[in-house]
């Protein structure tokens, strides 16, 4: 899943490697405004992710037990 | 292949290890298998990687809270007590509890703990002195997780080791070794000790996890002494004999594969990361967890009714031919290795997966270099349990 920023929007690109994601819900529990875990276990990035959320995204990526969250600053 | 007798309910089926033949037959012929139960309603035995993952990742369909996480139905009092642990909670309650300890077990924090864990491993080996023989389970493997947990809780290491002995009783299935009454007594003894910890830490807070838990709030409330006790009981139980058994069965695997052991010892930095994952896949310390269906659903074309017990077998998922090439081959370089030793994903994915890996890495590294003559020295009787796989003792020669 990729939240691609429109050309002139300073949004962050946040990707979840669904091959690695274990649907633990760690990111969605900590940052419900950035990540949504659907009932079937699919993780969705709630795009667009504003640049102001950089620290939150960094923290979510760090706490992910599977290291499945990647982002471009 | 002729159908083997299928019995995944009784502890005797696990006396000599996981029943790999039964698993293989079930995966091929009945991945979602209706299993009769002598003293219960029966259950669905789920043995394929994909379906174990599906059950694990849909907690709103497959509940941990409704009937607990063990195959055998608990009595109401036991279930009531178990529901105070996040293992036996569903989201969102589960997630609120997990957030209390999430930071303690994060990759970042575990990296900070690694040095101390390494020191503890060295001390455990130092304590063996010039002994020629020992019990690998009691004298080496068991002392590591109990020492780490004692450190995390902020209690003396000797107390941690006593708590871990109680864990073994709590995890044993019905047998001459431990009766249901023994299990209840062991749990009560543990909770009594932990109530003392709560009193002590309220009076003298420190930097360990116990003090943090006592001051934390869930839904605006602080944890009660009961909830606190069950929280620590879960950490002790989940982190204790699982790690111990992984080390013991893992060492046995290296005894059985001497060429791999030599290769690993010669290139620890290069091979240990993939070797640890392969040991986890092969050993699968947790045999099963159970869920209860909250709604009608379909699992691999099989209709599941409301209230049905659904039991997933991680060891079987770890040998699934559809996911692993030559699944019965022990390959310390296997990569990728999407094993289920830490669960099938979902909210209950093992919280301790980082710390477990650090413990295993630290201990194997030292065993392979400091005790190159380590060798088996007699039979290793296994824990009679349909829940946790591992040896109760494992005699070894040290040099």
């Amino acid at each position: 899943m990729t939240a691609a920023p429109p050309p002139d929007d300073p949004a962050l690109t946040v990707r979840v490697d669904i091959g690695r994601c274990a649907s633990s819900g760690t990111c969605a529990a900590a940052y419900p405004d950035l990540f949504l875990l659907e009932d079937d276990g699919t993780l969705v990035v709630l795009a667009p992710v504003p640049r102001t959320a950089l620290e939150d995204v960094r923290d979510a990526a760090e706490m992910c037990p599977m290291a499945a969250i990647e982002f471009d600053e | 292949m002729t159908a083997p007798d299928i019995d995944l309910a009784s502890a005797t089926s696990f006396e000599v290890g996981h029943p790999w033949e039964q698993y293989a037959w079930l995966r091929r012929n009945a991945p979602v298998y209706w299993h009769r139960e002598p003293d219960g309603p029966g259950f669905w035995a789920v043995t394929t990687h994909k379906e174990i993952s599906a059950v694990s990742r849909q907690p709103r369909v497959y509940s941990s809270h409704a009937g607990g996480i063990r195959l055998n139905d608990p009595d109401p009092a036991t279930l009531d007590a178990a529901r105070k642990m996040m293992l036996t909670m569903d989201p969102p309650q589960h997630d609120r509890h997990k957030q209390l300890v999430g930071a303690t077990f994060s990759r970042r924090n575990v990296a900070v703990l690694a040095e101390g864990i390494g020191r503890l491993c060295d001390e455990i080996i130092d304590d063996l002195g010039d002994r020629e023989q020992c019990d690998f389970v009691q004298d080496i493997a068991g002392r590591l997780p109990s020492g780490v947990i004692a450190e995390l809780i902020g209690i003396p290491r000797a107390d941690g080791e006593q708590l871990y002995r109680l864990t073994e009783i709590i995890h044993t299935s019905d047998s001459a070794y431990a009766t249901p009454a023994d299990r209840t007594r062991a749990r009560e003894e543990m909770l009594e000790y932990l109530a003392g910890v709560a009193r002590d830490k309220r009076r003298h807070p420190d930097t360990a996890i116990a003090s943090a838990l006592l001051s934390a709030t869930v839904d605006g409330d602080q944890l009660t002494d009961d909830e606190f006790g069950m929280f620590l009981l879960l950490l002790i139980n989940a982190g204790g004999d699982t790690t111990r058994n992984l080390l013991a069965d893992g060492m046995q695997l290296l005894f059985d594969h001497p060429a791999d052991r030599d290769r690993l010892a010669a290139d620890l930095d290069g091979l240990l990361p993939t070797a640890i994952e392969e040991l986890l896949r092969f050993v699968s310390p947790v045999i099963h967890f159970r869920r209860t269906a909250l709604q009608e659903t379909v699992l691999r074309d099989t209709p599941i009714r409301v209230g049905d017990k659904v039991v997933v077998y991680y060891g079987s998922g770890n040998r699934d031919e559809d996911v692993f090439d030559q699944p019965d081959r022990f390959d310390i370089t296997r990569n990728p290795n999407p094993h289920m030793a830490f669960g099938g994903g979902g909210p209950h994915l093992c919280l301790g997966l980082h710390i477990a890996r650090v413990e295993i890495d630290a201990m194997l590294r030292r065993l392979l270099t400091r005790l190159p003559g380590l060798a088996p020295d007699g039979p290793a009787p296994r824990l009679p349990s349909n829940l946790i796989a591992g040896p109760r003792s494992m005699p070894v020669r040290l040099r």
Side-chain angles (χ1 to χ4, degrees):
Chain A
M1 268 140 287
T2 301
D8 53 346
D9 187 319
L12 292 170
T13 303
V14 180
R15 288 177 303 274
V16 174
D17 180 339
I18 53 166
R20 294 188 63 85
C21 175
S23 314
S24 75
T26 310
C27 58
Y31 298 106
D33 49 338
L34 299 179
F35 302 95
L36 171 72
L37 188 65
E38 294 191 337
D39 277 351
D40 67 355
T42 307
L43 185 72
V44 180
V45 179
L46 297 172
V49 179
R51 185 149 286 276
T52 49
L54 177 61
E55 280 314 306
D56 292 353
V57 170
R58 200 194 301 279
D59 191 47
E62 145 66 24
M63 68 166 63
C64 172
M66 305 305 288
I69 300 172
E70 294 160 9
F71 60 97
D72 295 334
E73 289 183 28
Chain B
M1 180 168 157
T2 5
D5 286 340
I6 299 295
D7 179 4
L8 296 181
S10 86
T12 49
S13 295
F14 300 88
E15 263 174 349
V16 292
H18 286 269
W20 303 115
E21 261 190 42
Q22 291 190 46
Y23 289 163
W25 188 89
L26 287 170
R27 280 195 307 274
R28 192 159 311 153
N29 298 284
V32 182
Y33 171 82
W34 182 253
H35 193 302
R36 284 186 219 192
E37 215 184 342
D39 306 309
F43 60 93
W44 296 105
V46 180
T47 47
T48 38
H49 194 281
K50 189 174 169 209
E51 277 64 40
I52 294 168
S53 179
V55 169
S56 305
R57 292 175 193 219
Q58 298 177 81
R60 280 172 182 81
V61 180
Y62 300 100
S63 167
S64 300
H65 178 264
I69 51 83
R70 289 180 78 145
L71 188 164
N72 310 87
D73 286 315
D75 61 66
T78 306
L79 181 58
D80 210 45
R83 283 173 169 165
K84 296 195 175 82
M85 299 190 288
M86 55 183 164
L87 184 70
T88 318
M89 291 176 191
D90 293 335
Q93 187 197 17
H94 169 272
D95 300 348
R96 290 195 291 266
H97 277 250
K98 193 165 84 172
Q99 278 183 292
L100 289 181
V101 283
T104 301
F105 293 96
S106 70
R107 198 179 294 106
R108 190 187 304 161
N109 195 49
V110 166
V112 175
L113 300 174
E115 204 187 311
I117 291 173
R119 248 193 329 267
L120 176 59
C121 293
D122 273 326
E123 285 170 31
I124 290 168
I125 296 174
D126 291 344
D127 284 348
L128 297 168
D130 47 15
R131 290 171 69 179
E132 296 286 325
Q133 293 142 314
C134 78
D135 178 355
F136 187 90
V137 172
Q138 303 300 334
D139 300 326
I140 299 176
R143 295 194 62 204
L144 176 57
S146 54
V148 169
I149 289 164
E151 185 80 13
L152 283 175
I153 300 178
I155 56 173
R157 200 182 292 170
D159 291 9
E161 293 187 10
Q162 176 55 22
L163 291 176
Y164 130 86
R165 274 187 275 280
L166 296 172
T167 297
E168 192 178 60
I169 298 171
I170 293 171
H171 281 169
T172 311
S173 300
D174 293 339
S175 71
Y177 177 66
T179 63
D182 292 334
R183 288 209 297 275
T184 305
R185 230 180 349 260
R187 200 178 60 229
E188 281 167 0
E189 193 179 321
M190 203 181 269
L191 287 174
E192 206 172 295
Y193 176 86
L194 294 170
V197 173
R199 279 193 300 275
D200 187 43
K201 299 289 178 184
R202 281 212 171 91
R203 237 172 281 145
H204 311 286
D206 56 26
T207 54
I209 193 174
S211 299
L213 280 174
L214 286 168
S215 62
T217 50
V218 188
D219 301 334
D221 297 322
Q222 293 204 320
L223 293 179
T224 63
D225 275 12
D226 248 20
E227 285 170 331
F228 169 81
M230 292 303 277
F231 211 120
L232 290 191
L233 187 139
L234 173 63
L235 296 185
I236 295 162
N237 284 357
D241 55 359
T242 48
T243 313
R244 177 196 76 173
N245 294 354
L246 190 284
L247 281 169
D249 274 346
M251 201 62 229
Q252 182 64 53
L253 271 165
L254 294 175
F255 291 154
D256 295 342
H257 297 83
D260 287 316
R261 176 183 173 174
D262 291 346
R263 221 171 125 208
L264 183 56
D267 184 12
L268 286 167
D269 290 335
L271 290 173
L272 208 42
T274 49
I276 288 171
E277 300 309 306
E278 185 68 342
L279 291 171
L280 284 159
R281 184 180 79 88
F282 243 69
V283 171
S284 299
V286 178
I287 294 171
H288 80 258
F289 275 142
R290 164 260 183 95
R291 302 288 186 255
T292 306
L294 292 182
Q295 48 184 270
E296 268 183 41
T297 188
V298 174
L299 188 62
R300 188 138 171 173
D301 302 329
T302 307
I304 310 285
R305 295 153 302 196
V306 175
D308 280 358
K309 286 201 260 189
V310 179
V311 180
V312 295
Y313 286 89
Y314 303 112
S316 179
N318 282 339
R319 299 290 180 102
D320 191 330
E321 302 73 3
D322 287 344
V323 175
F324 301 100
D325 182 40
Q326 301 186 61
D328 294 326
R329 186 165 162 255
F330 179 65
D331 175 4
I332 59 170
T333 65
R334 189 182 290 274
N335 186 29
N337 189 343
H339 65 75
M340 311 188 122
F342 293 123
H348 297 283
L349 178 76
C350 178
L351 186 64
L353 80 183
H354 301 307
I355 202 163
R357 285 182 171 119
V358 167
E359 289 180 49
I360 297 160
D361 180 289
M363 187 54 101
L364 284 181
R365 208 171 266 281
R366 285 163 180 80
L367 290 174
L368 291 173
T369 48
R370 293 190 55 189
L371 297 173
L374 193 66
D377 193 28
R382 299 184 73 79
L383 191 71
S385 170
N386 66 11
L387 181 69
I388 299 288
R392 235 181 327 148
S393 71
M394 188 170 120
V396 287
R397 272 182 288 115
L398 291 167
R399 44 205 102 235

